[in-house]
Amino acid sequence: MLETISSSIIHLIQTSGYLGIFILMLLESALIPIPSEVTMPFSGFLAASGNLSLVPVILVGALGNLVGSLIGYYIGYFLNESILLTLIRKYGKFILVTQDDYKTANRWFVRYGNGVVFFSRLLPALRTFISLPAGMFKMNVVKFSIYTLVGSILWSGVLAWIGFYLGGKWSTIGVYFRKFDVVIIAALVILVLLYVNHKLKIVKLRRKK
């Protein structure tokens, strides 16, 4: 499956150049998990081969991320909060989420949102989905765009430069980033388990009262 996706990415970039890079990076940030760990290193390799230029590759990749992120942001932004709260009231108990949890998360995102958006752009997997809560929690769109663009330039720049530096061996970066993905997923699973354990303790305490 991954090989098929990678081949499709490579083919699109080879046939459409900067436009293909823009489209792929846009889709990745618009909640479609297309691996930028393939898109940008291969684009960097093409820059090293003289078919593209490195700086435009980085900028186009970052702009694609920004546009895709704004799409995700506005999907979250226009999701009616009353509908969301209704769903939490009806079904939140099945996943141990309450309205208080939602309001607390809202406050935390407002307080630390800028940093969350910026640093998530540098992390595989998380970078694809961070735009939804940013929009849902009504983060200032200008700040969201600035932090997204800066983080995306760094991410696209590092990946493209590695592809440029490695030349024909650009594909080896994917192995290391896939290992990094596993670490992140494992960390998220641990956090979820800790959260569930915390909620269960609260439920037990309430029952004792």
Side-chain angles (χ1 to χ4, degrees):
M1 181 67 177
L2 183 60
E3 290 182 2
T4 301
I5 294 173
S6 298
S7 297
S8 301
I9 290 172
I10 292 168
H11 177 71
L12 179 59
I13 296 172
Q14 284 177 323
T15 55
S16 56
Y18 297 113
L19 178 61
I21 298 170
F22 179 83
I23 291 172
L24 289 167
M25 296 300 278
L26 182 155
L27 291 175
E28 185 212 19
S29 289
L31 312 178
I32 300 174
I34 294 174
S36 55
E37 296 92 336
V38 175
T39 300
M40 295 311 300
F42 181 69
S43 301
F45 162 66
L46 291 181
S49 304
N51 297 302
L52 300 172
S53 297
L54 186 60
V55 173
V57 161
I58 295 170
L59 293 178
V60 168
L63 287 173
N65 267 171
L66 175 60
V67 174
S69 296
L70 286 170
I71 292 173
Y73 173 91
Y74 281 110
I75 290 174
Y77 188 92
F78 289 111
L79 184 64
N80 190 286
E81 186 176 48
S82 62
I83 295 176
L84 178 60
L85 290 173
T86 299
L87 291 172
I88 291 174
R89 281 195 297 271
K90 286 185 176 180
Y91 307 109
K93 59 186 177 182
F94 297 111
I95 54 174
L96 304 177
V97 173
T98 66
Q99 292 183 74
D100 288 338
D101 293 328
Y102 170 79
K103 292 174 182 177
T104 299
N106 197 326
R107 289 195 296 270
W108 273 76
F109 196 91
V110 169
R111 187 173 181 181
Y112 302 109
N114 294 350
V116 169
V117 169
F118 173 76
F119 287 109
S120 69
R121 299 299 169 190
L122 308 177
L123 297 174
L126 292 181
R127 62 191 314 277
T128 304
F129 303 104
I130 192 62
S131 301
L132 272 180
M136 190 177 295
F137 296 143
K138 306 298 186 288
M139 179 179 177
N140 180 281
V141 70
V142 175
K143 289 183 178 180
F144 172 81
S145 299
I146 291 172
Y147 279 89
T148 294
L149 183 60
V150 173
S152 296
I153 288 174
L154 289 174
W155 176 256
S156 298
V158 169
L159 292 182
W161 182 84
I162 292 175
F164 185 89
Y165 178 78
L166 291 176
K169 297 180 181 180
W170 65 271
S171 59
T172 57
I173 188 177
V175 176
Y176 298 103
F177 273 94
R178 281 195 290 277
K179 291 179 180 178
F180 191 32
D181 286 344
V182 172
V183 173
I184 292 174
I185 292 170
L188 288 174
V189 170
I190 292 172
L191 288 173
V192 169
L193 291 175
L194 289 173
Y195 174 73
V196 169
N197 183 60
H198 172 70
K199 297 297 292 186
L200 289 174
K201 285 182 179 178
I202 292 175
V203 171
K204 288 179 180 179
L205 288 172
R206 287 176 179 173
R207 286 178 178 175
K208 288 180 180 179
K209 292 179 181 179

